[in-house]
Amino acid sequence: MTDRPLTLMAVHAHPDDEATSTGGVLARYAAEGFRTVLVTCTDGGCGDGPGGVKPGDPGHDPAAVAAMRRAELEASCEVLKISDLETLGYADSGMMGWPTNEAPGAFWQTPVQEAAARLADLMRHYRPDVVVTYDENGFYGHPDHIQAHRITMAAVEMTDLTPKVYWTTMPRSGLRRFGEAMREFQEDVPEPDPAEAAAVAEMGLPDDEVTTWVDTTAFSGQKYDALAAHASQGENIFFLRMGKERFAELMGTETFLRVQDLTGAPVPENDLFAGLR
């Protein structure tokens, strides 16, 4: 052990992603005195504009949206007590199949090794003990999430510094509860077509394959407030509709798949830093 604080680095695609799947662990480990580093890869310019103006609609200004979302990201980091925010500044690629996927400067178009080299420099600077990002499919197929996964794993290989690497995931039992909550709090939820239902059924992992279950119930209020800081995207943040108490019940545990470990800590585990302290 050294006098350097244990460090968690979370690599996310857009402003607001940091709160959805890792807001609890970021707040928890900050409260425990660890250094928490957030790397946000894109500017979020394909998000909603003021008044809910959608990308591609008249009046949607990606540069203005990006500036607004940067301010919201900083507010979220303050709520979660994140030690260090780093932004790579790539253009938001939008959802899979959007024309913005092909735009010059889009994250999806950036060579993996080029972006990974920038991230590797940050890893050498912060020397994270734990790195968290998405799985190979970005959990649900978003191109920027997939690209964040690719550059993170490439950067880990370039640096060979990090004892533990995790991918965010959800247990299938949790996904079922989430679907029930959507029907509870959102009227007129359409039944998915068979192809969509099959895709949803393949998301996440069987419960017994989830390696890491971190109790973040005590920090669910911070997580909720961090999501609320992204007010411009509120229409897309379903969780805000359920209120803090119900949110804590559904979102009080964050789950991960451990994909690299040099500590020998047994799984399942309840701490990203198991084996390091």
Side-chain angles (χ1 to χ4, degrees):
M1 297 295 290
T2 70
D3 57 3
R4 180 182 64 84
L6 287 169
T7 299
L8 166 64
M9 175 180 281
V11 183
H12 281 292
H14 313 98
D16 77 25
D17 290 333
E18 78 288 339
T20 306
S21 58
T22 58
V25 292
L26 286 165
R28 171 179 164 167
Y29 291 119
E32 292 185 18
F34 297 174
R35 189 173 199 173
T36 51
V37 181
L38 170 64
V39 180
T40 301
C41 297
T42 80
D43 60 10
C46 286
D48 289 356
V53 177
K54 303 297 181 185
D57 286 351
H60 187 276
D61 180 350
V65 171
M68 174 178 62
R69 297 194 72 184
R70 170 63 190 234
E72 293 175 340
L73 177 61
E74 292 174 355
S76 173
C77 288
E78 179 63 29
V79 169
L80 298 174
K81 307 302 180 188
I82 290 170
S83 310
D84 301 273
L85 169 63
E86 299 283 354
T87 55
L88 299 185
Y90 294 107
D92 189 341
S93 309
M95 299 296 286
M96 191 67 81
W98 288 12
T100 44
N101 294 174
E102 310 299 325
F107 189 37
W108 187 237
Q109 290 298 311
T110 302
V112 168
Q113 293 301 305
E114 175 187 312
R118 294 181 60 197
L119 181 57
D121 284 343
L122 293 175
M123 289 182 177
R124 293 185 188 101
H125 175 72
Y126 290 107
R127 300 185 69 83
D129 302 282
V130 172
V131 169
V132 175
T133 192
Y134 315 100
D135 64 19
E136 306 102 313
N137 193 45
F139 189 66
Y140 69 99
H142 194 295
D144 288 331
H145 290 224
I146 295 169
Q147 189 77 331
H149 162 85
R150 290 172 176 171
I151 76 162
T152 301
M153 301 312 293
V156 167
E157 187 172 344
M158 287 177 184
T159 57
D160 196 27
L161 291 172
T162 305
K164 303 186 84 175
V165 179
Y166 293 89
W167 297 343
T168 58
T169 192
M170 283 190 71
R172 300 254 166 91
S173 62
L175 284 169
R176 287 192 294 272
R177 288 195 298 272
F178 177 70
E180 292 164 2
M182 284 193 70
R183 290 185 286 274
E184 177 184 349
F185 287 95
Q186 186 170 320
E187 296 180 1
D188 303 322
V189 177
E191 287 295 324
D193 62 43
E196 184 180 344
V200 170
E202 291 300 312
M203 290 172 63
L205 290 173
D207 289 32
D208 61 359
E209 293 182 20
V210 175
T211 63
T212 311
W213 306 68
V214 183
D215 182 0
T216 60
T217 306
F219 305 94
S220 60
Q222 279 176 263
K223 180 171 177 171
Y224 184 95
D225 290 343
L227 282 166
H230 296 280
S232 69
Q233 308 306 306
E235 181 181 329
N236 302 317
I237 302 176
F238 160 76
F239 308 105
L240 297 176
R241 303 178 192 180
M242 60 181 66
K244 283 189 173 180
E245 183 175 345
R246 190 77 170 96
F247 180 85
E249 293 174 3
L250 281 172
M251 306 295 288
T253 299
E254 292 182 350
T255 47
F256 305 87
L257 177 66
R258 193 175 81 187
V259 295
Q260 176 174 303
D261 173 64
L262 303 179
T263 70
V267 292
E269 60 186 2
N270 60 10
D271 179 8
L272 296 178
F273 289 89
L276 293 169
R277 57 171 172 170

